[in-house]
């Protein structure tokens, strides 16, 4: 009876499952193989949660070799090795979008369970386990145009499409603002509102965010008073340590101004 050599034998997946279709194709330029035998990452990768990946693998009683074998045999990623899986779990290498989708399939979880806090449209979509064509269809957008927005990070959708996107991907308003590229404009408006006449920035901020005007008036006025109070303290103690501390507090306030804004919006909307 012929016996296969140890080199020929592959570790068996302890939790077999049906073969899955290939993960979402992500258009990336050709590249030379990296140190683990797979192409170097050219496109932004999802914020990978290495600790979650290691925990999920251990809970299934699998070793890195089982994960690697499953990704090779079921997802057509022939370069995945136990060493690469270990590198992902140590956080020294981040899996690409297709690799993350395949890894989630092998670990019997959703891609969202392997992603940290999503930052981009693509990452939010992957966290919800949605295919790009499903998102494009649901929001009424051509697939090519949608994929271009994912790749460039430049949102060109209408207000209706933005609302549909938020509903589909369960985006909070702050997340939607970041995903649709309005964060820089919001920061600019808030800086001007707290440092000059806040009343002049209620209307453009309301238009940018589609928020209630009265709520914005209360929030911008409070932020203006808070910031001006910090700067007044700096002027009152000019030349002393207190002035330096107050000036630092003012700069810190501006650096975190969107965090202050959303915190106040949430508080105002709760009451």
């Amino acid at each position: 009876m012929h016996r296969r050599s140890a080199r020929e034998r592959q570790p068996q997946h302890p939790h077999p499952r049906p073969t899955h279709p290939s993960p979402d194709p992500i258009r990336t330029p050709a590249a030379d193989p990296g140190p683990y035998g797979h192409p170097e990452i050219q496109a932004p990768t999802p914020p990978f949660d290495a600790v979650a990946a290691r925990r999920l693998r251990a809970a299934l009683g699998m070793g890195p070799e089982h994960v690697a074998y499953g990704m090779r045999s079921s997802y057509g990623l022939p370069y995945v090795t136990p060493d690469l899986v270990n590198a992902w779990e140590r956080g020294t290498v981040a899996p690409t979008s297709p690799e993350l989708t395949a890894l989630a399939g092998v670990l019997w979880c959703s891609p969202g369970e392997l992603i940290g806090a999503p930052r981009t449209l693509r990452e939010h979509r992957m966290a919800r386990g949605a295919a790009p064509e499903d998102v494009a269809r649901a929001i009424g957008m051509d697939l090519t145009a949608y994929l271009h927005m994912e790749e460039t990070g430049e949102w060109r959708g209408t207000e209706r499409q933005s609302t549909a996107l938020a509903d589909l991907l369960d985006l909070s308003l702050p997340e939607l603002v970041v995903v649709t590229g309005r964060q820089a404009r919001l920061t600019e408006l808030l800086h001007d509102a707290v440092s000059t006449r806040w009343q002049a920035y209620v209307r453009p901020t309301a238009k940018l965010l589609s928020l209630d005007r009265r709520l914005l008036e209360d929030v911008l006025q409070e932020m203006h008073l808070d910031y001006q109070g910090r700067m007044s303290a700096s002027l009152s103690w000019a030349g002393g340590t207190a002035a330096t501390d107050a000036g630092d507090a003012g700069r810190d306030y501006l650096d975190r101004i969107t965090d202050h804004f959303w915190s106040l919006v949430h508080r105002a909307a709760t009451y």
Side-chain angles (χ1 to χ4, degrees):
M1 179 176 176
H2 176 69
R3 295 177 61 86
R4 297 173 63 191
S5 67
R7 180 182 298 274
E8 293 176 317
R9 289 197 296 273
Q10 293 282 3
Q12 297 300 308
H13 195 305
H15 302 276
R17 61 189 303 169
T19 301
H20 298 269
S22 297
D24 295 345
I26 302 298
R27 293 180 235 164
T28 55
D32 295 330
Y36 295 94
H38 69 304
E40 290 289 354
I41 298 167
Q42 299 292 324
T45 58
F48 184 61
D49 190 336
V51 174
R54 186 166 58 250
R55 184 181 67 249
L56 287 165
R57 174 181 60 75
L60 290 172
M62 300 167 63
E65 66 276 11
H66 300 114
V67 174
Y69 176 64
M71 294 181 70
R72 292 196 303 268
S73 63
S74 296
Y75 290 90
L77 300 177
Y79 55 81
V80 177
T81 63
D83 285 343
L84 179 56
V85 174
N86 280 325
W88 289 338
E89 293 185 357
R90 289 195 302 268
T92 56
V93 177
T96 64
S97 294
E99 290 166 351
L100 182 71
T101 302
L103 180 62
V106 172
L107 295 179
W108 286 46
C109 67
S110 70
E113 293 178 76
L114 298 176
I115 294 179
R119 302 163 300 191
T120 65
L121 176 55
R122 175 179 291 163
E123 291 167 6
H124 279 285
R125 172 180 63 76
M126 291 186 63
R128 302 298 295 177
E133 55 268 26
D134 294 334
V135 176
R137 186 184 310 111
I139 65 177
M141 183 178 290
D142 176 74
L143 177 59
T144 301
Y146 173 78
L147 286 173
H148 179 72
M149 293 180 196
E150 276 200 359
E151 292 166 0
T152 62
E154 297 179 3
W155 176 253
R156 300 298 185 193
T158 64
E159 190 63 36
R160 182 191 64 79
Q161 289 170 327
S162 297
T163 301
L165 182 74
D167 291 341
L168 180 66
L169 300 183
D170 196 25
L171 300 174
S172 66
L173 183 54
E175 290 171 336
L176 180 64
V177 167
V178 173
V179 164
T180 54
R182 290 177 281 178
Q183 179 83 344
R185 177 56 177 160
L186 174 61
T187 301
E188 179 185 353
L189 289 171
L190 295 177
H191 275 219
D192 291 341
V194 301
S195 59
T196 59
R197 293 182 65 255
W198 64 267
Q199 295 89 339
Y201 297 93
V202 174
R203 183 176 180 180
T205 306
K207 183 177 181 180
L208 182 73
L209 304 177
S210 299
L211 276 177
D212 179 74
R213 183 172 179 132
R214 182 167 296 180
L215 181 149
L216 274 176
E217 288 176 349
D218 293 340
V219 169
L220 292 184
Q221 182 179 26
E222 182 171 346
M223 292 181 68
H224 177 83
L225 293 173
D226 190 4
Y227 177 73
Q228 292 299 322
R230 295 167 189 262
M231 299 314 294
S232 295
S234 175
L235 294 173
S236 299
W237 296 89
T241 303
T244 301
D245 292 343
D248 290 343
R251 284 187 290 272
D252 180 67
Y253 189 91
L254 290 178
D255 289 341
R256 302 181 60 247
I257 197 165
T258 55
D259 293 335
H260 294 303
F261 174 75
W262 289 121
S263 177
L264 291 175
V265 167
H266 178 73
R267 189 188 71 184
T270 302
Y271 290 101

